Amino acid sequence: MPWTKAPQRSAAVAGRPSSLRPPPRDTRLDIVRGWMQVSIFISHVVGTGFAWGIHAAWGLSDSSEQFVFLSGLGLGSVFALKSARDGFGAARADLAGRTLHLYRMHLMVVALFAALVLAAEMWLPLPGEVARLGWSWLTEAPWFAVPAAATMLWQPEFMGILSVFVWCMLLLPPFMWLTERAGAWALLVPAALYAAVQAGLIATPGLGGTEIAFDPLAWQALFMTGAWLGRRALMTGEAVPRRGWMMAAASVVVVYGFWVQLVVHGFVAGPEDAIEALYGKTVLAPARLVHALALAYLVAVLVPREAAWMRAAPAAMLAMIGRHSLNVFCAGLFLSWAASTMLARWPGHAGWLDPLLIAGGTAVLVLVALASERRRMRLRPARAAA
């Protein structure tokens, strides 16, 4: 879906679209999603030196913020298009199907990861792995842990990521309903929820001794902002305007985030208060939110929609990964755990093991994307006929 001005604008009559067409696929989004999947995999590998090469090491936000924002952007556009063509009920039903698919994928990941961790502690020399990753409740009281996992409020390590997308997708229909009637004023509702979380008035509770990794009451603000911009792009032809003062403000935010990381890494001197801007990921602290939006804006207005480098092999590979983000992400969780385990067991061999694991893991992600792409191509004729 477009970030900036699209080639054609949609006509509108009496405030409602008379004809809407899906905008051309934005290759930039696929490439960005692909890069984020590689970044997420690397960031989850504990002890890798390649973490210095991802943008999370040089700013206030990371790939999590961008992925939530872009998911809202895409789904907001899809929902608005479906609603305009077939009615709000059809759009809500379509989103319900997407949400159910993601929820089932989340439960499958929980089950497989639980089996992996339990097997690792039993059959591998990894004492304490169950407790370290937050799965103790499953071994102590499975009759409570299993239904708690179904609620998405029991979140062992890595199990809170897909949950926040499910929660945000559940909140999207009422937000889109309000947007159709109130326009930009609808953003006041997610903003109010976000402000209440920041003030400590509300919070999503965790079960089983775990904490919520991404509080949906806070993260929905970023998702809904993306959804509103996605709808705006569909209706008006552009998601965000290109303004000099906006580019300058966004640049200041990104440079500030870079400076904070320089202070954290000890490359430059700075006040201890600056480091606090890096914390608060669970509730999406304001500094992280602003930095994520600033970074997304700069990419949207500075990177062209079409460029020769996007057709080169590395960019094409990232775009393919981006088109199949869900499958790649799930595979990356297991690969990152395996890589972290190997680095922890053989720290003396990290010099050659680290690059081998990162390169091998990235290659597997490419293979997962390739298999998903081939499956999509096989299914395309059947779907077109239906």
Side-chain angles (χ1 to χ4, degrees):
M1 300 300 171
W3 294 16
T4 52
K5 189 174 181 179
Q8 294 182 345
R9 291 177 178 269
S10 303
V13 176
R16 292 189 62 83
S18 58
S19 62
L20 286 176
R21 291 180 297 174
R25 193 171 188 96
D26 195 333
T27 307
R28 295 175 301 176
L29 295 185
D30 289 332
I31 293 174
V32 169
R33 288 192 186 102
W35 166 246
M36 288 191 299
Q37 287 304 323
V38 175
S39 298
I40 290 172
F41 162 65
I42 294 174
S43 68
H44 285 165
V45 177
V46 179
T48 178
F50 288 86
W52 290 91
I54 60 177
H55 76 273
W58 306 105
L60 302 180
S61 62
D62 57 32
S63 294
S64 302
E65 285 87 354
Q66 296 303 324
F67 215 81
V68 169
F69 173 74
L70 290 180
S71 295
L73 185 79
L75 287 173
S77 180
V78 169
F79 192 101
L81 178 63
K82 189 74 174 178
S83 180
R85 286 183 167 181
D86 306 319
F88 187 86
R92 184 175 54 193
D94 176 71
L95 181 64
R98 296 171 185 267
T99 306
L100 181 59
H101 172 71
L102 182 60
Y103 178 67
R104 287 197 299 258
M105 183 68 77
H106 166 71
L107 293 182
M108 183 178 71
V109 170
V110 170
L112 291 176
F113 213 92
L116 174 68
V117 173
L118 292 173
E121 179 151 326
M122 290 174 59
W123 298 325
L124 295 177
L126 293 174
E129 190 72 358
V130 169
R132 186 181 73 84
L133 295 179
W135 292 92
S136 298
W137 204 27
L138 182 62
T139 61
E140 297 167 357
W143 47 87
F144 289 131
V146 171
T151 69
M152 300 182 293
L153 296 178
W154 177 51
Q155 297 183 0
E157 192 76 13
F158 302 141
M159 296 301 107
I161 302 173
L162 292 181
S163 299
V164 71
F165 290 97
V166 175
W167 287 116
C168 288
M169 290 168 72
L170 290 172
L171 295 173
L172 183 59
F175 173 75
M176 297 300 290
W177 179 88
L178 186 60
T179 297
E180 288 185 0
R181 288 154 179 78
W185 291 104
L187 290 169
L188 289 177
V189 175
L193 278 175
Y194 176 79
V197 173
Q198 302 308 312
L201 301 178
I202 56 175
T204 303
L207 299 178
T210 64
E211 296 182 356
I212 298 297
F214 304 86
D215 192 328
L217 296 175
W219 282 76
Q220 54 77 34
L222 185 58
F223 184 90
M224 300 310 168
T225 299
W228 187 85
L229 290 173
R231 181 181 185 275
R232 184 179 188 273
L234 182 72
M235 299 296 183
T236 69
E238 65 176 7
V240 291
R242 186 187 179 98
R243 300 286 187 269
W245 69 268
M246 295 177 69
M247 293 174 61
S251 298
V252 169
V253 172
V254 172
V255 170
Y256 172 73
F258 179 68
W259 172 78
V260 169
Q261 287 287 13
L262 291 178
V263 173
V264 172
H265 298 323
F267 295 137
V268 299
E272 291 291 330
D273 293 345
I275 302 177
E276 295 181 3
L278 286 174
Y279 303 114
K281 183 173 182 177
T282 296
V283 296
L284 187 60
R288 300 183 69 99
L289 174 62
V290 173
H291 183 270
L293 292 175
L295 191 59
Y297 178 78
L298 289 177
V299 172
V301 300
L302 295 179
V303 178
R305 289 180 60 88
E306 297 292 339
W309 64 267
M310 295 180 182
R311 294 185 289 275
M317 180 188 67
L318 289 176
M320 182 177 65
I321 293 175
R323 288 192 294 271
H324 304 283
S325 295
L326 179 57
N327 293 341
V328 172
F329 170 78
C330 294
L333 288 180
F334 296 92
L335 290 171
S336 61
W337 175 86
S340 299
T341 301
M342 295 179 72
L343 286 174
R345 289 194 64 188
W346 298 293
H349 301 287
W352 62 268
L353 188 59
D354 187 12
L356 179 64
L357 291 172
I358 296 300
T362 303
V364 173
L365 297 183
V366 173
L367 292 176
V368 170
L370 182 60
S372 301
E373 183 81 355
R374 289 177 174 173
R375 181 176 182 273
R376 183 177 70 90
M377 297 303 293
R378 288 196 304 269
L379 294 177
R380 178 181 290 180
R383 289 174 178 172

